[in-house]
Structures are given as structure tokens and as C-alpha cells.
Amino acid sequence: MNVAVGRITAIFTLFALSLLLPACSEPRTELPVNTRLGGDFSMVDQDGKPFGPADLQGKLSLMFFGFTQCPDICPATLARTVGVWKELTERQREQVQVVFVSFDPQRDTPAYLKEYLAFFDPGVIGLTGSAEQVASMARGYGVVYLQEDTQPGREQDYLFSHSDFVYLLDQQGRVRKLFKSDFDGEELINDVRSLL
Amino acid sequence: MTFVACFKRTLVAVALIIAPQAYAELVIEDAWVRAVPPNSRTTAAYFTVRNTGAEEQTIAAVRSDSAREAEIHDWVEAGGRKQMVRQDQVVVPAGGQVVLQSGGLHMMMFRLDPVPAPGDKVLLCIDTEAAVEGQPAGESATEVCAEATVRHP
């Protein structure tokens, strides 16, 4: 009886192992393409040049929506995203661009963005546009932002409440993954490398 | 730094030395200010406030010598949006502490003047009395101040 139980256990163990084995040799699963986010948009970059979906092609993009007067999450996320980019080898860096999209075109003009972003790295691309252009691009990427009320006399200090995802886009400009602003740097860099 | 700014800072430093905060039950520790681009108008400061006393204390105002306006904000997440909400008061429990850190409670510094550069020292003050408009940092009898270093996170 015991022998029979032992044999059955052994067969089950072997069967279970045989199920697990292929997983060992299988390559990493590819990041799925998010077909709901993205779409057409028309913006200008920090040099005032038009920037559209075609400019997201050919390189991976790490894209983030925010505003420069944001004191906490936006500069922290920009600094960390640029930090991940700097961890790549020089050759990999040439294939990855960091894109900051402002939803505060009133204050974030191209010239202002250029000076602001150079502090993090002169290679960071800054996008802005008319209020309508910004709203349209934000809609495409499922970004929500809302200008908050200010106290009387403090109108120039207005802030936004906003979603805070970092988007990983592939060489075709397709969204492959969303990261929370407090992302794990190692996870992000591994995902970037998996697409290179 | 202009002569006036330097003189002001020296005065504050002297005031800090001759008026040690023995009276104060609140202590500011690990204070730092986020380094931001030179054309920024805002930044955030982070620190821990420890209450060494036996009674709870309430922070009712914050000030800095580098910002025309300062407030304590917290993050609230609702409907997929993160929103900064001004905190009129922050209670520091007796014998306890409150931590201001990125992504949580933080001190907002509006209209930076001047914009501090990495490595600069900035004066941060917390006050148990409500804010008086236009009052400079370091001049209230009920405030506790600390020097914070401006740095990259």
C-alpha cells in the first residue's frame, strides 16, 4: 500500500516538475501593447518646433505629464526618470528619450521649459501647446488634470491636481507600460532594456 | 548673494545663536530643500518635527527666508488625481513626531526669492502662532527655525 502511495506521489511530482520546466527556459513575456492610450496630437517642443506622434518614432520614450510650478512630485519624478536614463549605457541612451509634457501652457512656454528642463538634462524634451492642444493630448493618454482654486491675491500661485503616471513608449510610439510616479527604478530600467 | 541678503542671513544666524531654542519644545531635524531649476518659482522643503514636550503642539505657520509664501501641504488621492491640500494646522503629538517627506506632508515654498542653488543654506521656520502677513522668517518669538541644505534628492 505504502509503495503504491509512494509511486503515485513520485509520478505526481514528476508531472508537476514537467509542467514547471518549460517556464525555466521560456523567454521573458513581452510587454503588451496598450491600444487604448495614445493617438494623434500636435504640440511644440522646447525650441518652439512642432512635435507630433511621428517624433515619438524610432526611439523609446519615457513620458511624463506635469507642470513646472509643481514643487514635489513633478521635479522628483523628472529627476528619478532622468536618473534611470543616465544609468543606461551611452549606446542605450541614444535610443531612449525623456519627454516632459506640460499641462500648464500659460506658464510653461517653450523658452521657460527649455531653461527648466536643462537643469535635469539638456536632452530632455519638453512639450507644450495651446490649452486645447494640451487637453487633446492629455485625453489621448488618459491624463487627468484640474487647475485648483487659489486664495484671493494668490492667483499666480495656482496648482493642479493631476494623475502622475510615467509612460513607457516603444519605438513605434505605442504605450507599453504605465508606472506610478514612485516607480521602482530597477523595474523601469529592466523594462526599458527589454524593449531595446 | 547680495550684500543685503548676506547681512540679513548673518543677523538671523546671530539671532539663532544668542536665542537658543531652549524654550521650544519642537525640534526640526534632517531639514533639506529640493534643488530646482534657477527659473523655478516653487520648491518643497522636507524635515522631521519632534515634540520633546509633554503637551501636543500645533504648527500654525511656516516661513522661509527664500520664499515669499510658505505653506504645509499634504497629498490626497481621489478620482485618479493626486491633489495637494493646504494644511492650516499640523499637530505634533506629545513626545511624538511628524515627518515631512516627498509624496506626503511637505512644506511648499512659493515665489522663491532668491531661487536657492544646490549647496545653499535656507532658513526654515515653524510657528505655533498663526501666520501674520508679510512677517519675515526668524522674527517671531514663538517660532523654531533650522537651516536646511538645498540638494538634489
Side-chain angles (χ1 to χ4, degrees), chain A residues 43-81:
Chain A
M43 302 282 276
V44 287
D45 69 10
Q46 73 279 11
D47 294 315
K49 290 190 200 133
F51 192 104
D55 298 296
L56 292 175
Q57 308 240 338
K59 284 187 177 185
L60 291 188
S61 302
L62 290 168
M63 197 160 75
F64 175 67
F65 292 73
F67 65 113
T68 64
Q69 303 305 316
C70 161
D72 186 43
I73 284 189
C74 306
T77 307
L78 249 177
R80 292 192 64 223
T81 307

Short mmCIF file of all heavy atoms in Angstrom, two decimals, chain A residues 43-81:
data_model
loop_
_atom_site.label_atom_id
_atom_site.label_comp_id
_atom_site.label_asym_id
_atom_site.label_seq_id
_atom_site.Cartn_x
_atom_site.Cartn_y
_atom_site.Cartn_z
N MET A 43 1.78 69.29 -30.77
CA MET A 43 2.33 70.14 -29.70
C MET A 43 3.57 70.87 -30.24
O MET A 43 3.95 70.69 -31.39
CB MET A 43 2.73 69.26 -28.51
CG MET A 43 1.60 68.43 -27.92
SD MET A 43 0.50 69.39 -26.86
CE MET A 43 1.41 69.32 -25.31
N VAL A 44 4.20 71.69 -29.41
CA VAL A 44 5.50 72.27 -29.78
C VAL A 44 6.51 71.87 -28.71
O VAL A 44 6.15 71.68 -27.54
CB VAL A 44 5.47 73.82 -29.89
CG1 VAL A 44 4.74 74.26 -31.13
CG2 VAL A 44 4.91 74.47 -28.64
N ASP A 45 7.79 71.74 -29.13
CA ASP A 45 8.81 71.36 -28.16
C ASP A 45 9.46 72.60 -27.55
O ASP A 45 9.03 73.74 -27.81
CB ASP A 45 9.84 70.41 -28.80
CG ASP A 45 10.72 71.09 -29.84
OD1 ASP A 45 10.68 72.34 -29.95
OD2 ASP A 45 11.45 70.37 -30.54
N GLN A 46 10.50 72.39 -26.77
CA GLN A 46 11.13 73.50 -26.03
C GLN A 46 11.82 74.49 -26.95
O GLN A 46 12.19 75.58 -26.51
CB GLN A 46 12.09 72.95 -24.96
CG GLN A 46 13.39 72.37 -25.49
CD GLN A 46 13.23 70.94 -25.99
OE1 GLN A 46 12.12 70.42 -26.13
NE2 GLN A 46 14.35 70.28 -26.25
N ASP A 47 12.02 74.13 -28.21
CA ASP A 47 12.60 75.06 -29.18
C ASP A 47 11.53 75.71 -30.04
O ASP A 47 11.84 76.41 -31.01
CB ASP A 47 13.60 74.31 -30.09
CG ASP A 47 14.81 73.83 -29.29
OD1 ASP A 47 15.33 74.63 -28.48
OD2 ASP A 47 15.22 72.67 -29.45
N GLY A 48 10.27 75.43 -29.71
CA GLY A 48 9.17 76.01 -30.46
C GLY A 48 8.86 75.26 -31.74
O GLY A 48 8.08 75.72 -32.56
N LYS A 49 9.49 74.10 -31.95
CA LYS A 49 9.26 73.32 -33.18
C LYS A 49 8.05 72.40 -32.98
O LYS A 49 7.85 71.87 -31.89
CB LYS A 49 10.48 72.47 -33.49
CG LYS A 49 11.68 73.27 -33.95
CD LYS A 49 12.75 72.31 -34.46
CE LYS A 49 14.10 72.96 -34.48
NZ LYS A 49 15.15 72.16 -33.91
N PRO A 50 7.29 72.18 -34.05
CA PRO A 50 6.14 71.27 -33.94
C PRO A 50 6.59 69.87 -33.53
O PRO A 50 7.66 69.42 -33.94
CB PRO A 50 5.55 71.24 -35.35
CG PRO A 50 6.12 72.42 -36.05
CD PRO A 50 7.43 72.73 -35.41
N PHE A 51 5.78 69.23 -32.73
CA PHE A 51 6.10 67.88 -32.24
C PHE A 51 4.82 67.06 -32.28
O PHE A 51 3.80 67.43 -31.69
CB PHE A 51 6.65 67.96 -30.81
CG PHE A 51 7.29 66.68 -30.32
CD1 PHE A 51 8.68 66.55 -30.23
CD2 PHE A 51 6.50 65.60 -29.89
CE1 PHE A 51 9.28 65.39 -29.76
CE2 PHE A 51 7.09 64.43 -29.43
CZ PHE A 51 8.48 64.32 -29.36
N GLY A 52 4.85 65.97 -33.03
CA GLY A 52 3.68 65.11 -33.16
C GLY A 52 4.05 63.66 -32.94
O GLY A 52 5.21 63.34 -32.63
N PRO A 53 3.10 62.75 -33.14
CA PRO A 53 3.36 61.31 -32.90
C PRO A 53 4.56 60.78 -33.68
O PRO A 53 5.26 59.89 -33.20
CB PRO A 53 2.07 60.64 -33.37
CG PRO A 53 1.03 61.69 -33.30
CD PRO A 53 1.72 62.99 -33.57
N ALA A 54 4.83 61.36 -34.88
CA ALA A 54 5.95 60.88 -35.70
C ALA A 54 7.28 61.07 -34.96
O ALA A 54 8.23 60.33 -35.17
CB ALA A 54 5.98 61.61 -37.03
N ASP A 55 7.32 62.11 -34.09
CA ASP A 55 8.56 62.39 -33.35
C ASP A 55 8.78 61.41 -32.19
O ASP A 55 9.80 61.48 -31.51
CB ASP A 55 8.53 63.83 -32.82
CG ASP A 55 8.45 64.83 -33.97
OD1 ASP A 55 9.41 64.88 -34.76
OD2 ASP A 55 7.42 65.52 -34.09
N LEU A 56 7.79 60.56 -31.94
CA LEU A 56 7.95 59.54 -30.91
C LEU A 56 8.41 58.22 -31.53
O LEU A 56 8.51 57.21 -30.86
CB LEU A 56 6.62 59.31 -30.15
CG LEU A 56 6.13 60.46 -29.27
CD1 LEU A 56 4.75 60.13 -28.70
CD2 LEU A 56 7.10 60.72 -28.13
N GLN A 57 8.67 58.24 -32.83
CA GLN A 57 9.06 57.01 -33.52
C GLN A 57 10.58 56.90 -33.60
O GLN A 57 11.29 57.90 -33.72
CB GLN A 57 8.48 57.00 -34.92
CG GLN A 57 6.98 57.27 -34.93
CD GLN A 57 6.16 56.16 -35.54
OE1 GLN A 57 6.66 55.36 -36.32
NE2 GLN A 57 4.90 56.09 -35.17
N GLY A 58 11.05 55.66 -33.56
CA GLY A 58 12.47 55.41 -33.72
C GLY A 58 13.23 55.30 -32.42
O GLY A 58 14.34 54.77 -32.37
N LYS A 59 12.67 55.84 -31.36
CA LYS A 59 13.30 55.75 -30.04
C LYS A 59 12.27 55.31 -29.01
O LYS A 59 11.07 55.51 -29.21
CB LYS A 59 13.82 57.13 -29.60
CG LYS A 59 15.10 57.57 -30.27
CD LYS A 59 15.60 58.85 -29.64
CE LYS A 59 16.93 59.27 -30.27
NZ LYS A 59 17.52 60.42 -29.62
N LEU A 60 12.76 54.75 -27.92
CA LEU A 60 11.86 54.52 -26.78
C LEU A 60 11.64 55.86 -26.12
O LEU A 60 12.54 56.70 -26.13
CB LEU A 60 12.51 53.59 -25.75
CG LEU A 60 12.75 52.13 -26.08
CD1 LEU A 60 13.22 51.43 -24.81
CD2 LEU A 60 11.47 51.47 -26.57
N SER A 61 10.47 56.06 -25.52
CA SER A 61 10.23 57.31 -24.80
C SER A 61 9.77 57.01 -23.39
O SER A 61 8.96 56.11 -23.16
CB SER A 61 9.15 58.14 -25.50
OG SER A 61 9.52 58.43 -26.82
N LEU A 62 10.31 57.78 -22.46
CA LEU A 62 9.79 57.80 -21.09
C LEU A 62 9.07 59.13 -20.96
O LEU A 62 9.71 60.19 -20.97
CB LEU A 62 10.94 57.69 -20.08
CG LEU A 62 11.63 56.34 -20.03
CD1 LEU A 62 12.92 56.40 -19.24
CD2 LEU A 62 10.69 55.29 -19.41
N MET A 63 7.74 59.08 -20.91
CA MET A 63 6.95 60.31 -20.99
C MET A 63 6.21 60.56 -19.68
O MET A 63 5.72 59.63 -19.05
CB MET A 63 5.95 60.18 -22.14
CG MET A 63 5.37 61.49 -22.58
SD MET A 63 4.69 61.36 -24.25
CE MET A 63 3.20 60.48 -23.95
N PHE A 64 6.16 61.83 -19.32
CA PHE A 64 5.57 62.20 -18.04
C PHE A 64 4.83 63.52 -18.21
O PHE A 64 5.32 64.43 -18.86
CB PHE A 64 6.70 62.32 -17.00
CG PHE A 64 6.25 62.80 -15.66
CD1 PHE A 64 5.43 62.01 -14.87
CD2 PHE A 64 6.66 64.04 -15.17
CE1 PHE A 64 5.01 62.46 -13.62
CE2 PHE A 64 6.25 64.48 -13.91
CZ PHE A 64 5.43 63.70 -13.14
N PHE A 65 3.62 63.63 -17.66
CA PHE A 65 2.83 64.86 -17.74
C PHE A 65 2.90 65.59 -16.40
O PHE A 65 2.71 64.97 -15.35
CB PHE A 65 1.37 64.55 -18.06
CG PHE A 65 1.14 64.01 -19.45
CD1 PHE A 65 1.50 62.71 -19.78
CD2 PHE A 65 0.55 64.80 -20.43
CE1 PHE A 65 1.28 62.20 -21.05
CE2 PHE A 65 0.31 64.30 -21.71
CZ PHE A 65 0.68 63.01 -22.02
N GLY A 66 3.13 66.89 -16.43
CA GLY A 66 3.19 67.65 -15.18
C GLY A 66 3.21 69.13 -15.45
O GLY A 66 2.86 69.58 -16.55
N PHE A 67 3.65 69.91 -14.49
CA PHE A 67 3.81 71.36 -14.67
C PHE A 67 5.00 71.81 -13.84
O PHE A 67 5.29 71.23 -12.79
CB PHE A 67 2.51 72.11 -14.30
CG PHE A 67 2.10 72.04 -12.85
CD1 PHE A 67 2.12 73.19 -12.05
CD2 PHE A 67 1.67 70.86 -12.28
CE1 PHE A 67 1.71 73.14 -10.72
CE2 PHE A 67 1.28 70.80 -10.95
CZ PHE A 67 1.29 71.94 -10.18
N THR A 68 5.69 72.83 -14.33
CA THR A 68 6.98 73.16 -13.71
C THR A 68 6.82 73.84 -12.35
O THR A 68 7.78 73.87 -11.59
CB THR A 68 7.82 74.08 -14.62
OG1 THR A 68 7.14 75.32 -14.77
CG2 THR A 68 8.07 73.45 -15.98
N GLN A 69 5.65 74.40 -12.07
CA GLN A 69 5.48 75.04 -10.76
C GLN A 69 5.10 74.05 -9.68
O GLN A 69 4.85 74.41 -8.54
CB GLN A 69 4.43 76.16 -10.83
CG GLN A 69 4.72 77.22 -11.86
CD GLN A 69 6.10 77.84 -11.69
OE1 GLN A 69 6.50 78.17 -10.58
NE2 GLN A 69 6.84 77.98 -12.77
N CYS A 70 5.05 72.79 -10.06
CA CYS A 70 4.74 71.69 -9.13
C CYS A 70 5.99 71.48 -8.27
O CYS A 70 7.07 71.25 -8.81
CB CYS A 70 4.40 70.48 -9.98
SG CYS A 70 4.49 68.87 -9.23
N PRO A 71 5.87 71.59 -6.97
CA PRO A 71 7.09 71.61 -6.15
C PRO A 71 7.58 70.25 -5.68
O PRO A 71 8.74 70.11 -5.30
CB PRO A 71 6.63 72.41 -4.93
CG PRO A 71 5.19 72.07 -4.81
CD PRO A 71 4.67 71.81 -6.19
N ASP A 72 6.72 69.25 -5.74
CA ASP A 72 7.09 67.99 -5.07
C ASP A 72 7.18 66.83 -6.04
O ASP A 72 8.26 66.38 -6.41
CB ASP A 72 6.05 67.70 -3.96
CG ASP A 72 6.42 66.50 -3.11
OD1 ASP A 72 7.60 66.37 -2.75
OD2 ASP A 72 5.53 65.69 -2.81
N ILE A 73 6.04 66.34 -6.52
CA ILE A 73 6.03 65.11 -7.32
C ILE A 73 6.70 65.30 -8.69
O ILE A 73 7.49 64.46 -9.12
CB ILE A 73 4.59 64.57 -7.48
CG1 ILE A 73 4.18 63.91 -6.16
CG2 ILE A 73 4.49 63.56 -8.63
CD1 ILE A 73 2.88 63.16 -6.21
N CYS A 74 6.40 66.42 -9.38
CA CYS A 74 6.92 66.57 -10.76
C CYS A 74 8.45 66.63 -10.80
O CYS A 74 9.06 65.87 -11.55
CB CYS A 74 6.29 67.76 -11.46
SG CYS A 74 4.49 67.73 -11.44
N PRO A 75 9.10 67.53 -10.02
CA PRO A 75 10.57 67.54 -10.10
C PRO A 75 11.18 66.24 -9.59
O PRO A 75 12.21 65.79 -10.10
CB PRO A 75 10.98 68.73 -9.23
CG PRO A 75 9.80 69.09 -8.42
CD PRO A 75 8.59 68.61 -9.15
N ALA A 76 10.53 65.61 -8.61
CA ALA A 76 11.06 64.35 -8.08
C ALA A 76 10.99 63.27 -9.16
O ALA A 76 11.94 62.51 -9.37
CB ALA A 76 10.26 63.92 -6.85
N THR A 77 9.85 63.21 -9.87
CA THR A 77 9.68 62.19 -10.91
C THR A 77 10.61 62.45 -12.09
O THR A 77 11.21 61.53 -12.63
CB THR A 77 8.21 62.17 -11.38
OG1 THR A 77 7.37 62.02 -10.23
CG2 THR A 77 7.94 61.01 -12.34
N LEU A 78 10.74 63.73 -12.45
CA LEU A 78 11.67 64.08 -13.54
C LEU A 78 13.09 63.67 -13.18
O LEU A 78 13.79 63.05 -13.98
CB LEU A 78 11.63 65.59 -13.77
CG LEU A 78 11.01 66.09 -15.05
CD1 LEU A 78 10.99 67.60 -15.06
CD2 LEU A 78 11.74 65.57 -16.27
N ALA A 79 13.50 64.01 -11.96
CA ALA A 79 14.87 63.70 -11.53
C ALA A 79 15.10 62.18 -11.53
O ALA A 79 16.14 61.70 -11.98
CB ALA A 79 15.12 64.29 -10.15
N ARG A 80 14.10 61.43 -11.06
CA ARG A 80 14.26 59.97 -10.99
C ARG A 80 14.24 59.34 -12.39
O ARG A 80 14.97 58.40 -12.66
CB ARG A 80 13.17 59.34 -10.11
CG ARG A 80 13.32 59.71 -8.63
CD ARG A 80 12.44 58.88 -7.75
NE ARG A 80 12.81 57.48 -7.80
CZ ARG A 80 11.93 56.49 -7.87
NH1 ARG A 80 10.65 56.74 -7.90
NH2 ARG A 80 12.35 55.26 -7.91
N THR A 81 13.38 59.87 -13.26
CA THR A 81 13.31 59.34 -14.62
C THR A 81 14.62 59.61 -15.36
O THR A 81 15.17 58.73 -16.03
CB THR A 81 12.11 59.95 -15.39
OG1 THR A 81 10.93 59.76 -14.59
CG2 THR A 81 11.92 59.30 -16.74
#
